Amino acid sequence: MTTNPGNTAEPVKPIDIRADPDAGASEPVRIALLGCGTVGAEVVRLLDEQADDLAARIGAPLELAGIAVRRPDRDRGPLPVPRELFTADAAGLIKRDDVDIVVEVVGGLEPARGWLVQALQSGKSVVTANKALLAEDTATLAAAAADGNADLYYEAAVAGAIPLLRPLRESLHGDRITRITGIVNGTTNYILSKMDSTGAGFAEALDEATELGYAEADPTADVEGFDAAAKAAILASLGFHTRVTAADVYRVGITEVTAADVASAQEMGCVVKLLCIAELRRDADGSESVSARVHPAMIPRSHPLASVGDAYNAVFVEAQAAGRLMFYGAGAGGAPTASAVLGDVVAVARNRRLGRSAVADSAYANLRVRPMGEVATRYHISLDVADRAGVLAQVAALFAEHGVSIQTVRQEGRGGAAGTGGDALLVIVTHRAPDAALRSTVDALAELDIVRQVASVMRVEGE
Amino acid sequence: MTTNPGNTAEPVKPIDIRADPDAGASEPVRIALLGCGTVGAEVVRLLDEQADDLAARIGAPLELAGIAVRRPDRDRGPLPVPRELFTADAAGLIKRDDVDIVVEVVGGLEPARGWLVQALQSGKSVVTANKALLAEDTATLAAAAADGNADLYYEAAVAGAIPLLRPLRESLHGDRITRITGIVNGTTNYILSKMDSTGAGFAEALDEATELGYAEADPTADVEGFDAAAKAAILASLGFHTRVTAADVYRVGITEVTAADVASAQEMGCVVKLLCIAELRRDADGSESVSARVHPAMIPRSHPLASVGDAYNAVFVEAQAAGRLMFYGAGAGGAPTASAVLGDVVAVARNRRLGRSAVADSAYANLRVRPMGEVATRYHISLDVADRAGVLAQVAALFAEHGVSIQTVRQEGRGGAAGTGGDALLVIVTHRAPDAALRSTVDALAELDIVRQVASVMRVEGE
């Protein structure tokens, strides 16, 4: 073995190639901050704390021109800014000549959309974490950015601090992304991880998440998958150069995931996760289409996403040349989200200083968005059936009729002895088939005399 | 549970916002390719296969102006380019007026350095995968890029296809990176994963890696850690805005890792990985310094890096605001590396088309590089000792003398019965201490009468 004593001698004298030795002398780049909640306050704090580094990286200092909030007089604790910076007049702040960049951390569709369109059209760059707005209407924002020749950046909108959108927009531009599978909602991942590790049911795990601050008082946006669906739309749009909106995303939340589903998954060597999946499909005739969906699914424990626990997020990207990639990190929280916001602020501030603008979002591929019925998935189905001869044959025939191929089937007697007319549990995992065919199979199963109950249905992903 | 039938109705008509509808009409951006081995051939193939997508993303078509190789007449199989493109005259090709971008996949210091300096100084953008050159002399390349106002991109130089350098350079620029821990060499990760799963020794695992094509005929660069050290230098430079070269990197390879070390790690709930670690340290007086090192280390199985198996790479980044991030993917191979190269090609081609250049590498922070002796680490030490009363007290006293605090100690009799003067094994894990103190402790242990042999010493990371 060779070892390199390397730097045990004198440290090597670093070469002085500063980003811009005159940084301090340059005109400041001025920011209007819209919103000062958890993320906004952290942005204010970091702007102050990292001021020197930020100035060196940009080549000019950053300055807060003003902070628009609903109640400017509210006590906000020890923020390192004078109270005069706070204003209730967001539109007036955006309009000011000395504002270069607008940072929006308010969220929601209106009035945020109007403010950002106003900013972009007047040539001010925008950094936003507003996933709901982007998922609803990136088209309007992109058009305003093009009008005003301004930058629109939104790294913080998906997967918090994880640098994900820039790699998708830029690093993988020489490749063809085929599939993006993400755990993009921390609340539901916390709940499902808890159900997996403790055997708790959904309600119990949600209670604990609420107590610990992982779930909001009204958890609907998280547990029903609305938050994840917005992110799915953004990821599908960027990954496939096609406008996909939240309305295009098939969505099922986790409220009906039971302790029994989680136990079933464990028996298969799987774990239940709320996945957002954006897929490219090329048909035999060469035509391409995309799909985007959010639903709970079983994935094998050996899959890199399976070990993403607690409130962490991760996004697994498959690309033709690059192969399998994964990006992992904190998906929410004030500081992580503020980190993503500030990364974007540095980028747009540099662009302004160098008199250039970023390449706009592209939707050149303009692919058809497939409805869920056409998307190929696999199902895990648990059936309570009468435990008598011929049941399996009858069930198998019904799958065949619907053109769905069975991969595995497991039968467990559980009422009286087998064959005595008691209950049995039939657990079936299918091969990939169009979702519409799988759904109609399940509907038909429910109608069979010998099926007492379709106990659970869950999609299986990750092979 | 609410569900969103969403796109079961008519698919939403996509909005036609093309990146540039006139892309086809624009002047082509022309590439000189230096080298046509595994990666180069894949670049040629992808340039052909993805031509339409690349043109749409750039706003202009890409064209190969020429390919410089040592033997232009060699048969290269079915590459989608005319033979006339091949030339042995790299310098002449770079000089041609119709060349806009130089892509270098030759590797090594010379003649690559001369070519790239020539290209950059004459204003041609460079995309390179040459980690050895970057680790040795980014300063010269960065100076040439500044001279010629040209772009220098090298995403493929570290962790193959994983989009890592762009996030470090750009996404995290609003944050403060404190530590980068990476598995950045696929060959050694394959070998160590094999040793972990089968109990094989180093030589046996290396043989298997060689047979399967994971290790080269001469594996020195990989198994001695040279390859990882080059990447450590690049990561430390980017992460800490300071020039760190390969000579600054402390380096130990994996050739002395034994099956017993791997078994010891397993007993501690750990796995042995070859890690590259770049760290920022802030002293009590506020002064900052960086360190970079490559060595095998035990990390807990619960650490996200522990489950990175086979020849995969992953880089774990800790930042002040963003928290813990991880980037995972294929670290080598023709197609993954070509994907990274092409991502850079798209970026520099866009820059050229828009008449702008990227922000140059910055070394503004210009921090001191700490020698290894000053770096705080933890050691796992196995000692063969005489099994008699007072041994542990004597060993513990020696640690105390050197100012090293013991975290855990485990004693196992293994010769005769305990206390009869046979052999025993003493396994000690320390708290963090300066590496120099740990090394002198180990040296002193070897001198103790009661110590028959220092059986193994390995660093422990990841808490």
Side-chain angles (χ1 to χ4, degrees):
Chain A
M1 178 165 59
T2 63
T3 61
N4 174 8
N7 43 27
T8 48
E10 281 286 283
V12 174
K13 192 172 174 304
I15 298 156
D16 186 11
I17 304 189
R18 285 159 187 273
D20 181 348
D22 305 323
S26 298
E27 278 291 293
V29 177
R30 290 168 64 82
I31 297 171
L33 177 64
L34 312 183
C36 198
T38 318
V39 176
E42 196 61 32
V43 168
V44 170
R45 210 184 56 72
L46 288 172
L47 279 173
D48 178 63
E49 188 183 297
Q50 315 271 23
D52 292 347
D53 277 331
L54 293 169
R57 291 168 194 178
I58 293 164
L62 287 174
E63 242 179 64
L64 261 177
I67 306 173
V69 292
R70 222 175 299 172
R71 290 180 295 157
D73 298 328
R74 198 181 128 193
D75 180 20
R76 289 165 201 280
L79 277 185
V81 285
R83 293 193 73 104
E84 308 86 77
L85 282 190
F86 287 91
T87 169
D89 180 16
L93 173 61
I94 295 166
K95 212 176 289 173
R96 274 168 49 184
D97 286 341
D98 63 341
V99 165
D100 302 303
I101 298 174
V102 174
V103 174
E104 184 259 321
V105 289
V106 173
L109 299 187
E110 299 295 351
R113 173 163 35 198
W115 291 338
L116 298 191
V117 166
Q118 178 200 340
L120 290 164
Q121 282 180 335
S122 63
K124 297 179 183 189
S125 299
V126 163
V127 173
T128 173
N130 192 329
K131 55 194 168 261
L133 174 55
L134 288 159
E136 170 90 11
D137 201 7
T138 299
T140 296
L141 298 181
D147 271 6
N149 192 28
D151 284 348
L152 170 65
Y153 274 58
Y154 48 89
E155 183 68 67
V158 180
I162 310 175
L164 174 66
L165 304 191
R166 186 171 279 109
L168 287 183
R169 280 167 83 141
E170 301 177 17
S171 306
L172 288 168
H173 259 179
D175 204 339
R176 172 186 292 267
I177 294 171
T178 53
R179 196 174 146 108
I180 302 171
T181 310
I183 294 172
V184 294
N185 180 271
T187 305
T188 50
N189 201 48
Y190 181 86
I191 292 171
L192 292 172
S193 299
K194 208 31 99 175
M195 290 173 72
D196 184 60
S197 63
T198 66
F202 169 75
E204 191 187 333
L206 171 60
D207 284 349
E208 191 182 325
T210 311
E211 255 170 55
L212 294 173
Y214 286 117
E216 297 185 39
D218 176 1
T220 309
D222 294 317
V223 300
E224 296 289 8
F226 289 101
D227 174 80
K231 293 161 177 172
I234 296 171
L235 290 174
S237 299
L238 279 176
F240 304 126
H241 303 275
T242 291
R243 292 249 176 268
V244 178
T245 69
D248 298 325
V249 180
Y250 173 83
R251 175 186 52 74
V252 181
I254 65 162
T255 53
E256 290 192 3
V257 175
T258 64
D261 291 332
V262 171
S264 268
Q266 288 175 345
E267 273 169 36
M268 285 177 61
C270 286
V271 58
V272 176
K273 293 290 185 190
L274 182 67
L275 298 182
C276 99
I277 302 175
E279 264 176 332
L280 178 72
R281 176 169 152 179
R282 183 193 281 260
D283 286 324
D285 64 0
S287 69
E288 292 185 325
S289 55
V290 301
S291 62
R293 53 199 165 107
V294 168
H295 55 71
M298 299 181 180
I299 53 169
R301 283 193 189 266
S302 57
H303 192 285
L305 286 173
S307 55
V308 176
D310 295 336
Y312 274 91
N313 283 11
V315 177
F316 191 76
V317 177
E318 290 160 86
Q320 204 170 285
R324 296 151 48 112
L325 303 168
M326 192 171 82
F327 303 82
Y328 164 99
T337 308
S339 164
V341 166
L342 275 186
D344 281 353
V345 166
V346 170
V348 304
R350 277 175 160 176
N351 286 349
R352 292 197 78 81
R353 207 183 140 258
L354 301 171
R356 71 192 201 187
S357 65
V359 175
D361 271 25
S362 88
Y364 75 87
N366 198 3
L367 302 175
R368 181 171 83 93
V369 180
R370 302 172 75 79
M372 187 61 191
E374 293 180 25
V375 174
T377 63
R378 299 169 59 211
Y379 273 24
H380 174 281
I381 303 164
S382 301
L383 302 174
D384 283 329
V385 295
D387 186 9
R388 59 174 193 245
V391 166
L392 180 55
Q394 216 176 324
V395 166
L398 187 144
F399 274 82
E401 266 170 46
H402 288 82
V404 173
S405 163
I406 292 175
Q407 184 185 36
T408 63
V409 60
R410 198 176 76 237
Q411 190 165 10
E412 291 169 13
R414 60 176 189 190
T420 61
D423 269 7
L425 188 70
L426 212 55
V427 179
I428 296 157
V429 180
T430 74
H431 282 294
R432 280 164 73 86
D435 201 77
L438 288 160
R439 275 193 267 178
S440 64
T441 307
V442 171
D443 290 347
L445 285 169
E447 297 299 311
L448 278 188
D449 272 356
I450 49 160
V451 172
R452 307 242 156 99
Q453 194 198 352
V454 178
S456 87
V457 176
M458 192 174 292
R459 294 183 179 86
V460 179
E461 296 287 338
E463 258 101 336
Chain B
M1 177 166 61
T2 63
T3 61
N4 174 6
N7 45 27
T8 49
E10 280 287 281
V12 174
K13 193 172 173 304
I15 299 156
D16 186 10
I17 304 189
R18 288 161 184 273
D20 182 348
D22 305 323
S26 298
E27 278 291 293
V29 177
R30 289 167 64 83
I31 297 170
L33 178 64
L34 312 183
C36 197
T38 317
V39 176
E42 196 62 31
V43 167
V44 170
R45 210 183 57 69
L46 288 172
L47 279 174
D48 178 64
E49 188 184 298
Q50 315 270 24
D52 293 347
D53 277 332
L54 293 169
R57 291 169 194 177
I58 293 164
L62 288 175
E63 241 179 64
L64 262 175
I67 306 173
V69 292
R70 223 174 299 171
R71 291 180 293 155
D73 297 329
R74 199 180 129 197
D75 181 21
R76 289 166 201 279
L79 277 185
V81 285
R83 293 192 75 103
E84 307 88 76
L85 282 190
F86 289 92
T87 170
D89 179 14
L93 173 60
I94 294 164
K95 212 176 290 173
R96 272 168 49 182
D97 286 341
D98 62 341
V99 165
D100 303 301
I101 299 174
V102 174
V103 173
E104 185 259 321
V105 289
V106 173
L109 298 186
E110 299 296 350
R113 174 163 36 198
W115 291 338
L116 298 191
V117 167
Q118 177 199 340
L120 290 164
Q121 283 181 334
S122 62
K124 299 180 181 186
S125 300
V126 163
V127 173
T128 174
N130 193 330
K131 56 194 167 260
L133 175 56
L134 288 158
E136 170 89 12
D137 200 6
T138 298
T140 296
L141 297 181
D147 271 6
N149 191 28
D151 284 348
L152 171 64
Y153 274 58
Y154 47 89
E155 183 68 67
V158 180
I162 309 175
L164 174 67
L165 303 192
R166 187 170 279 109
L168 287 183
R169 283 166 82 141
E170 302 177 16
S171 306
L172 289 168
H173 259 180
D175 203 339
R176 172 186 293 266
I177 294 170
T178 52
R179 196 175 146 105
I180 301 172
T181 310
I183 294 172
V184 294
N185 179 270
T187 304
T188 49
N189 201 48
Y190 181 86
I191 292 170
L192 292 172
S193 299
K194 208 30 102 175
M195 291 173 71
D196 184 60
S197 62
T198 67
F202 169 75
E204 191 186 334
L206 171 59
D207 283 348
E208 190 183 325
T210 311
E211 254 170 54
L212 294 174
Y214 286 116
E216 296 183 40
D218 176 0
T220 310
D222 294 317
V223 299
E224 295 291 7
F226 290 100
D227 174 80
K231 293 162 177 170
I234 297 171
L235 289 174
S237 299
L238 279 177
F240 304 126
H241 303 275
T242 291
R243 293 249 176 267
V244 178
T245 69
D248 298 324
V249 180
Y250 173 83
R251 176 187 52 75
V252 181
I254 66 163
T255 53
E256 290 192 3
V257 176
T258 63
D261 291 331
V262 171
S264 268
Q266 287 176 346
E267 271 168 37
M268 284 178 62
C270 285
V271 57
V272 176
K273 294 289 185 190
L274 181 68
L275 298 182
C276 100
I277 301 175
E279 265 176 333
L280 178 73
R281 176 170 151 178
R282 183 193 282 259
D283 285 325
D285 65 359
S287 68
E288 292 184 326
S289 55
V290 301
S291 61
R293 52 198 165 107
V294 167
H295 55 69
M298 298 181 180
I299 53 170
R301 282 190 191 269
S302 57
H303 192 286
L305 285 173
S307 56
V308 176
D310 295 335
Y312 274 91
N313 282 12
V315 177
F316 191 76
V317 178
E318 290 160 87
Q320 204 171 286
R324 297 152 47 113
L325 302 169
M326 191 171 83
F327 303 81
Y328 165 98
T337 310
S339 163
V341 167
L342 276 186
D344 281 354
V345 166
V346 170
V348 303
R350 276 176 162 176
N351 286 348
R352 292 197 80 78
R353 207 182 140 257
L354 301 172
R356 71 192 201 189
S357 65
V359 175
D361 272 22
S362 89
Y364 75 87
N366 200 2
L367 302 176
R368 180 172 82 95
V369 179
R370 301 172 76 78
M372 187 62 191
E374 292 181 25
V375 174
T377 62
R378 299 169 59 212
Y379 273 26
H380 173 281
I381 302 164
S382 300
L383 301 175
D384 282 328
V385 294
D387 187 9
R388 58 172 193 247
V391 167
L392 181 54
Q394 217 177 322
V395 167
L398 186 144
F399 274 82
E401 266 170 45
H402 288 83
V404 173
S405 164
I406 291 175
Q407 183 184 35
T408 63
V409 60
R410 200 177 73 238
Q411 189 165 11
E412 291 169 14
R414 58 177 191 189
T420 61
D423 270 7
L425 188 70
L426 213 54
V427 179
I428 295 157
V429 180
T430 73
H431 281 295
R432 281 163 73 86
D435 200 76
L438 288 160
R439 275 192 268 178
S440 66
T441 307
V442 171
D443 290 347
L445 284 169
E447 299 298 312
L448 278 188
D449 272 356
I450 50 159
V451 171
R452 307 241 155 100
Q453 192 199 352
V454 178
S456 87
V457 176
M458 192 174 293
R459 294 184 179 86
V460 180
E461 296 288 338
E463 257 101 336

